[in-house]
Amino acid sequence: MTSCNDASLNATVTLPTLVSRLEPYVTGGAGLYSFFLDPQANAGTARDFSRMSALLGGGLRFRLSPAAGLTLDVRDLVLTNFDRERLVLFVVHSESR
């Protein structure tokens, strides 16, 4: 089984508006991601690797009451130096007859 972990430090900035119930915001951050690869499916490669990551996003908060609200949030996690070729999902075996 292949697994991925990400740890990051993020900051969010709320933007001023004329409508008191709406709060648009932007967010961003940097961190580190790690993949732990299945040794059976990824024979011949390192079993884990780590690289830097970046988080970019934004959203809109809408207050329904002092105790409740709705949030629309869009984020993109960017994995730097990501190599898809290292994530082999299956192994092809050839048989000679």
Side-chain angles (χ1 to χ4, degrees), residues 38-53:
D38 181 356
Q40 292 177 341
N42 292 283
T45 64
R47 293 186 181 181
D48 64 322
F49 60 96
S50 300
R51 304 281 188 278
M52 294 294 297
S53 65

Side-chain angles (χ1 to χ4, degrees), residues 65-87:
S65 72
L70 297 173
T71 300
L72 172 66
D73 189 80
V74 178
R75 295 178 188 223
D76 186 18
L77 179 62
V78 179
L79 306 178
T80 61
N81 299 323
F82 183 73
D83 183 10
R84 274 183 209 270
E85 300 301 318
R86 292 189 69 181
L87 299 178

